[in-house]
Amino acid sequence: NAGVTQTPKFRILKIGQSMTLQCTQDMNHNYMYWYRQDPGMGLKLIYYSVGAGITDKGEVPNGYNVSRSTTEDFPLRLELAAPSQTSVYFCASSLGGSNTEAFFGQGTRLTVV
Amino acid sequence: QQQVKQSPQSLIVQKGGISIINCAYENTAFDYFPWYQQFPGKGPALLIAIRPDVSEKKEGRFTISFNKSAKQFSLHIMDSQPGDSATYFCAALRGGYNKLIFGAGTRLAVHP
C-alpha cells in the first residue's frame, strides 16, 4: 500500500515549457487535490476532484489544468511555465463523506528559470 | 482573502515547554478543523482534528482548544520535544465540499 505517489520529485523547467506532474493513489479515495506550497504562504488549493470525470477549480487555478480519467490518477498540467509557478506541489487524496483526513504525497519541487 | 489566519509564523520553545499556535477563521460554515504536521522534505500529515461541537480535544501531548463564538482555535503541545520541530498548519473544511483551506503555517523549533 504505497498511499499517494508523486513523480517527479524535482524538475527544472525553462519559461514557456510544458510539463505534467503525475499523482496516483492506491487507497480507492474519491477525492483528490493539488496544492502548491510557497514559503510563508501555506498550502494553496489549485484544483480538486470529487471522482473520476469531475474536477473543479480551487483558490489558484490560473496556469494549470487537470484531468481525472480514473479513480487512481490525477495529473496536473502546466502548459506555459512561468517563474511564478516555481513552488513545491503536493497531491493529496481523501475518502470523502464523513472521513475527511487527507493523505499527502511527498511533493514535487519545481523551478522555472 | 485569507480564510484561515495562523500565528505566529515561527516559534522557538525550550525542551519541556508548551508550544501554542493560534488560528482564526472567517467562514462560519466550516465544520472541521484539523492540524497538520510537516517535516522537511515530506508532505503534511494529519496530527489532530476537532469539530465545533466540542471545545477541546486531547491526544497525548497535543490538545486543540476551540472557541466557536470567537471563531478561533489553537494547538497546544505540552512537554515539547526536539522531535516536535516541524511546520504546523491549521486548516478548515466546509462539510460536503471536502476542500481543505490551510493557514500559512508555523515553523516550530524545540531547543534541547
Side-chain angles (χ1 to χ4, degrees):
Chain A
N1 191 340
V4 179
T5 303
Q6 291 182 236
T7 56
K9 287 186 170 55
F10 304 94
R11 183 71 186 268
I12 298 175
L13 274 184
K14 293 184 178 179
I15 294 171
Q17 285 186 322
S18 301
M19 78 162 295
T20 299
L21 281 65
Q22 302 291 345
C23 175
T24 187
Q25 53 94 6
D26 61 0
M27 297 174 283
N28 202 30
H29 283 173
N30 296 317
Y31 290 73
M32 295 189 75
Y33 315 85
W34 275 106
Y35 288 91
R36 61 176 287 172
Q37 183 177 18
D38 301 301
M41 299 297 291
L43 294 120
K44 296 295 186 184
L45 182 64
I46 305 171
Y47 270 95
Y48 70 104
S49 169
V50 302
I54 306 170
T55 63
D56 205 351
K57 296 177 181 178
E59 302 168 274
V60 290
N62 292 342
Y64 308 94
N65 278 300
V66 294
S67 59
R68 184 97 181 268
S69 57
T70 67
T71 299
E72 295 79 17
D73 301 308
F74 190 42
L76 178 70
R77 179 83 177 162
L78 283 71
E79 290 294 349
L80 292 170
S84 61
Q85 294 177 304
T86 294
S87 188
V88 180
Y89 292 84
F90 286 99
C91 178
S93 72
S94 68
L95 191 58
S98 61
N99 192 328
T100 47
E101 179 177 359
F103 295 83
F104 283 79
Q106 297 266 46
T108 295
R109 183 174 293 275
L110 175 67
T111 302
V112 181
V113 297
Chain B
Q1 179 189 5
Q2 194 174 359
Q3 296 192 56
V4 180
K5 296 181 181 180
Q6 183 173 346
S7 62
Q9 191 171 14
S10 63
L11 181 61
I12 298 174
V13 173
Q14 293 299 120
K15 179 182 176 182
I18 302 173
S19 303
I20 301 174
I21 304 171
N22 300 301
C23 280
Y25 63 97
E26 298 172 357
N27 190 341
T28 55
F30 289 142
D31 62 359
Y32 174 72
F33 301 90
W35 285 89
Y36 279 76
Q37 180 187 54
Q38 184 183 31
F39 293 105
K42 304 292 186 182
L46 180 65
L47 182 64
I48 186 172
I50 197 168
R51 293 194 184 273
D53 53 346
V54 297
S55 60
E56 186 175 280
K57 183 174 181 180
K58 184 175 180 179
E59 290 183 1
R61 296 184 294 108
F62 300 91
T63 299
I64 299 179
S65 297
F66 187 83
N67 186 328
K68 189 174 181 178
S69 60
K71 293 189 286 185
Q72 295 176 347
F73 59 110
S74 60
L75 176 69
H76 295 235
I77 306 175
M78 311 300 287
D79 187 26
S80 298
Q81 299 297 312
D84 297 330
S85 297
T87 299
Y88 293 81
F89 293 96
C90 63
L93 181 145
R94 179 179 170 186
Y97 287 79
N98 274 81
K99 287 193 298 181
L100 272 175
I101 304 298
F102 284 86
T106 296
R107 181 171 291 185
L108 171 66
V110 181
H111 291 178

